[in-house]
Amino acid sequence: MYLKKSLVSLLLVGTFFLSCKETEKSKPIANEVIKPNIIYILADDLGYAELGAYGQEKIETPNIDALAQSGMLFTQHYSSAPVCAPARHMLLTGKHAGHAYIRSNSEWKERGDVWNYRAMAKDSTLEGQGPMPANTITMAHKLKEVGYTTGVVGKWGLGAPHTHSVPNDMGFDFFYGYNCQRQAHTYYPLHLYKNRKRVHLANDTVAPNTKLPKGADPNDPASYAAYTLTDYSPDLMFNELTNFVASNKDNPFFLYWATPIPHVALQAPEKWLNYYIKKFGDEKPYLGKKGYFPHKNPHAAYAAMVSYLDENIGKLVQQLKDEGIYENTLLVFTSDNGPTYNGGADPEYFESAKPFDGNYGRGKGFLYEGGIRVPMIATWPNHIAPGTKSDLISSHYDMFATFGEVSGYEATDTDGISLLPTLLANEKQAIHEFMYWEFPSYGGQVAMRMGDWKVVRRHLKDKKPPTLELYNLKNDPTEQINVAEEHPEILQKAAEIFERERDSPELENFKIPILQHGLLNEK
């Protein structure tokens, strides 16, 4: 209640001073509070250090950096999970991985040949991921309850066509983009979705993982022509996004921009690609040995995708200003998890997770800092002080409570805390007792952070011996020195939290049998 009163008071400050200057005829209504618009931008596989504001030196991101200069940059913000679908599910529901229904990517293979791109094009029932339960309550549902128009543009990945778990049944008034995250493995798809219906595009069928033709010269740009088609999905999605903003500018709206960039495949606009080819010079072609599509200039293409996204964020900010709604908009930018290492991406070259390791085993798919520590920047003119930083330990699943405090809905049944006090420089900020991650893939993993301490367990489902790791992130932020044997009391505290806070997964494929016997069990 304190936070809500403080927010209302802060929002009314401007009204009070205005009333002192205006005539009686234009006196404002004393109890009228204008709800801010909320825009949440979720990049895909963008590493902690792939923005200039976080120390990136090769990729140029002036517009996102400008957000950091005009708002608050978080240094200890985390993804809820190290891969796409569970991170998005926990974001929208406010649950950590010990309580979440979706705890890994689930491609719902029981339906048939779900990885066959051409088969999916013919049969929409093969698209999409495993659905959320029908009774799932998302932040979009809650925002609608308090008068917001809600839209999602980009990648969904939390259900399938013809199920109850499509955006329009999960609280969103408007959806445009990829229903299925496998379809998003090409930026020139055969179709996207607008609400519940397919929108067919002017692209040919070039299935993900299509290699160079036999005998093609990898040093000849013409060899790669087939991978650049007509309708570039990020362009189409951005157009729909700007239309949504323009159509809803007179009333409060929530926009969840789930951009697929910079997730591979490497497919970038020519303008930005040529810019980075000139900047980086000749480089070794990527021939597709790590999946997705080959590319003659992989470093240039990856950087071009990030700068293209940055350019569009600049355009969105300018639109908000032109529409006169920028000062009444809370804008949050972050990423769904750490950087990838396949498809031609090169986290070592870009130092994508610096100071952490973004390579395989430490980046995307893993519960080390490189896989789950992500950038987060928040701006809200006249509310968030410009050029500020916060080392508050926070996560995606905190946004459910945060947006509740901002908009006025009751954020019940959530594992998160509201970050609004930090955003408003209020000293009444709640602190997490712990942060919890559980991930049944990549060998089976669990992690917990308690203050400076972090417990990591790996190899809980594969044939390798399970690990028991403990790191002090204050002294050892890159998790190099395992001090588990020296601090049994910290491990015991983690085990007690685990027993208290974790529910067994409802879905069989998310279960990690060893965890049924406790956090510290090794057999």
Side-chain angles (χ1 to χ4, degrees), residues 206-448:
V206 182
N209 302 309
T210 300
K211 303 296 188 291
L212 288 175
K214 188 176 181 179
D217 180 0
N219 294 308
D220 183 357
S223 300
Y224 302 85
Y227 310 113
T228 301
L229 302 172
T230 303
D231 288 337
Y232 189 55
S233 63
D235 284 344
L236 302 177
M237 291 186 287
F238 187 71
N239 288 340
E240 292 288 345
L241 180 155
T242 57
N243 289 339
F244 177 86
V245 170
S247 298
N248 294 284
K249 63 183 179 181
D250 296 327
N251 296 293
F253 64 82
F254 169 55
L255 172 62
Y256 168 35
W257 182 8
T259 173
I261 292 174
H263 193 298
V264 289
L266 297 173
Q267 294 170 307
E270 185 177 9
K271 180 188 80 170
W272 280 110
L273 179 62
N274 289 337
Y275 177 83
Y276 280 106
I277 288 175
K278 184 177 180 180
K279 180 175 179 177
F280 294 163
D282 292 336
E283 55 177 303
K284 183 179 179 180
Y286 169 65
L287 300 181
K289 292 182 179 179
K290 292 186 178 181
Y292 302 89
F293 295 131
H295 203 286
K296 183 180 181 299
N297 301 91
H299 292 156
Y302 188 85
M305 291 166 68
V306 176
S307 287
Y308 166 82
L309 172 61
D310 177 82
E311 179 184 32
N312 279 345
I313 289 173
K315 291 178 180 178
L316 173 60
V317 170
Q318 187 60 51
Q319 179 185 7
L320 297 173
K321 293 177 178 179
D322 292 343
E323 300 283 11
I325 58 175
Y326 176 66
E327 293 192 352
N328 192 43
T329 299
L330 169 61
L331 190 153
V332 178
F333 175 88
T334 188
S335 177
D336 66 344
N337 46 248
T340 193
Y341 31 74
N342 58 14
D346 190 347
E348 186 172 4
Y349 174 79
F350 288 110
E351 297 184 287
S352 297
K354 187 179 180 181
F356 315 111
D357 186 348
N359 292 300
Y360 183 84
R362 289 272 175 164
K364 177 182 178 179
F366 295 88
L367 296 179
Y368 293 110
E369 297 295 286
I372 54 176
R373 184 90 69 107
V374 292
M376 189 181 91
I377 298 167
T379 65
W380 188 7
N382 302 318
H383 297 84
I384 299 174
T388 50
K389 287 187 179 182
S390 174
D391 61 0
L392 179 70
I393 299 170
S394 57
S395 176
H396 287 162
Y397 59 79
D398 291 325
M399 304 319 297
F400 191 96
T402 302
F403 293 160
E405 290 284 357
V406 169
S407 67
Y409 69 73
E410 292 290 337
T412 57
D413 193 25
T414 176
D415 295 314
I417 59 175
S418 172
L419 308 183
L420 185 62
T422 292
L423 296 176
L424 302 183
N426 188 316
E427 295 180 358
K428 300 289 186 178
Q429 176 63 59
I431 303 296
H432 279 289
E433 177 190 4
F434 66 92
M435 306 290 291
Y436 183 96
W437 297 270
E438 180 177 323
F439 187 51
S441 303
Y442 290 68
Q445 308 164 56
V446 65
M448 188 182 300

Side-chain angles (χ1 to χ4, degrees), residues 41 51 134 136 248 311 408 465:
I41 306 173
L51 304 173
T136 299
N248 294 284
E311 179 184 32

Side-chain angles (χ1 to χ4, degrees), residues 19-61:
S19 66
C20 294
K21 298 178 180 179
E22 295 291 343
T23 63
E24 289 296 317
K25 183 177 181 180
S26 59
K27 185 183 295 183
I29 300 173
N31 61 355
E32 182 176 331
V33 177
I34 301 175
K35 295 179 184 292
N37 306 307
I38 301 172
I39 298 177
Y40 188 85
I41 306 173
L42 186 70
D44 197 336
D45 292 359
L46 184 80
Y48 181 76
E50 289 187 330
L51 304 173
Y54 283 83
Q56 177 56 222
E57 297 179 352
K58 294 184 174 72
I59 305 172
E60 300 172 25
T61 56

Side-chain angles (χ1 to χ4, degrees), residues 158-215:
L158 292 173
H162 320 298
T163 73
H164 58 265
S165 192
V166 295
N168 298 100
D169 288 332
M170 285 294 162
F172 288 97
D173 296 306
F174 177 77
F175 168 58
Y176 186 86
Y178 295 93
N179 172 284
C180 175
Q181 62 192 30
R182 298 186 309 279
Q183 291 277 318
H185 290 182
T186 174
Y187 286 96
Y188 293 96
L190 293 173
H191 63 269
L192 294 170
Y193 277 83
K194 190 167 188 176
N195 296 318
R196 302 174 191 273
K197 295 183 178 180
R198 282 184 174 184
V199 176
H200 296 280
L201 308 181
N203 294 327
D204 293 328
T205 306
V206 182
N209 302 309
T210 300
K211 303 296 188 291
L212 288 175
K214 188 176 181 179

